[in-house]
């Protein structure tokens, strides 16, 4: 059995948390593009410096850069039997690229989980997170920009995945464990 999944959801929807919980439950690694960029930024390498110039403003890192990074990561042996992609694809070009990458590897997605939450709730959660984590891209402007980009470029991807019968939508409001149960049940459903 393999689980090749994408988890989608606006910033603050609990996507990263749920991706990690689901990955533990299924025994597959998580690939978070945000975490990959942050690791490069911490290492202060060229990719990190380039990424910072976009992430600090809440803008997307250019597709060529992100796509190449994801292609490299998906070719590593630990994800051969499954993975949860968190934060990718974020626009229609990345969606096409992901299809190409997986086709080149002789495989394809098994399912896509979309976490939903109201914008007011998201803004409140993000502000709270900004106070605790002090992430450098959690300024009010960058948060608002990320939510706009999500609505404009990322949310529409659910239509493509929905048309392929891959999409399950899960209400992201509630206790973490409760949402995790919903996600796990939804994933079992999409794979049949
Ligand atoms: P959040 O979900 O809170 O925006 P992430 O950790 O997923 O946080 O991403 C942080 C930043 O990294 C994004 O705002 C963006 O600048 C960059 N990033 C992450 N994933 C992608 C992607 N697929 N394409 C382009 N940029 C990305």
């Amino acid at each position: 059995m393999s689980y090749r999944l994408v988890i989608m959801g606006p910033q603050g929807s609990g996507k990263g948390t749920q991706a990690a919980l689901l990955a533990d439950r299924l025994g597959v690694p998580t690939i978070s593009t945000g975490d990959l960029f942050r690791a490069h930024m911490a290492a202060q390498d060229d990719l990190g410096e380039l990424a910072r110039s976009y992430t600090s403003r809440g803008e997307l890192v250019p597709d060529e850069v992100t796509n190449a990074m994801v292609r490299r990561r998906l070719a590593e042996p630990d994800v051969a039997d499954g993975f949860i992609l968190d934060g990718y694809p974020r626009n229609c070009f990345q969606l096409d690229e992901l299809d190409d990458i997986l086709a080149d590897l002789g495989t394809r997605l098994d399912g896509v989980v979309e976490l939903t939450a109201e914008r007011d709730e998201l803004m409140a959660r993000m502000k709270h997170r900004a106070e605790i984590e002090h992430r450098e891209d959690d300024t009010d402007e960058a948060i608002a920009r990320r939510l706009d980009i999500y609505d404009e470029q990322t949310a529409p991807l659910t239509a493509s995945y929905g048309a392929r019968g891959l999409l399950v939508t899960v209400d992201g409001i509630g206790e973490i464990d409760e949402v995790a149960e919903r996600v796990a049940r939804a994933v079992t459903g999409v794979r049949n």
Side-chain angles (χ1 to χ4, degrees), residues 11-180:
Q11 296 67 36
S13 62
K15 168 176 64 75
T17 305
Q18 293 300 333
L21 291 173
L22 184 62
D24 265 3
R25 194 185 277 242
L26 301 178
V28 298
T30 308
I31 302 176
S32 157
T33 43
D35 284 350
L36 289 173
F37 285 130
R38 279 185 287 278
H40 284 284
M41 290 191 261
Q44 298 187 318
D45 59 19
D46 289 349
L47 177 53
E49 293 310 312
L50 179 84
R52 174 174 284 117
S53 65
Y54 294 91
T55 58
S56 61
R57 288 181 286 129
E59 298 295 335
L60 294 186
V61 177
D63 289 339
E64 310 80 68
V65 176
T66 308
N67 288 340
M69 183 177 76
V70 172
R71 185 178 276 277
R72 272 198 308 276
R73 181 66 185 93
L74 280 170
E76 287 173 24
D78 65 315
V79 298
D81 294 330
F83 54 80
I84 298 174
L85 263 174
D86 163 11
Y88 185 94
R90 258 174 155 92
N91 63 30
C92 58
F93 308 106
Q94 295 184 3
L95 183 150
D96 289 343
E97 177 69 12
L98 177 59
D99 286 339
D100 285 351
I101 295 171
L102 294 177
D104 290 345
L105 292 167
T107 186
R108 56 191 154 113
L109 286 178
D110 297 309
V112 176
V113 179
E114 180 197 22
L115 280 179
T116 58
E118 296 298 323
R119 187 163 176 135
D120 287 352
E121 170 74 19
L122 296 171
M123 284 300 285
R125 287 189 190 180
M126 293 289 289
K127 287 199 171 139
H128 182 65
R129 183 177 89 179
E131 282 160 20
I132 300 172
E133 288 185 17
H134 301 292
R135 229 173 73 174
E136 60 186 285
D137 60 345
D138 275 350
T139 62
D140 283 0
E141 296 74 29
I143 291 171
R145 181 71 191 128
R146 296 215 297 281
L147 288 176
D148 286 344
I149 292 180
Y150 188 84
D151 288 346
E152 288 160 18
Q153 300 186 35
T154 312
L157 306 185
T158 56
S160 307
Y161 287 133
R164 292 191 210 171
L166 290 178
L167 184 73
V168 287
T169 299
V170 175
D171 181 359
I173 300 295
E175 295 298 319
I176 288 177
D177 290 352
E178 205 180 306
V179 177

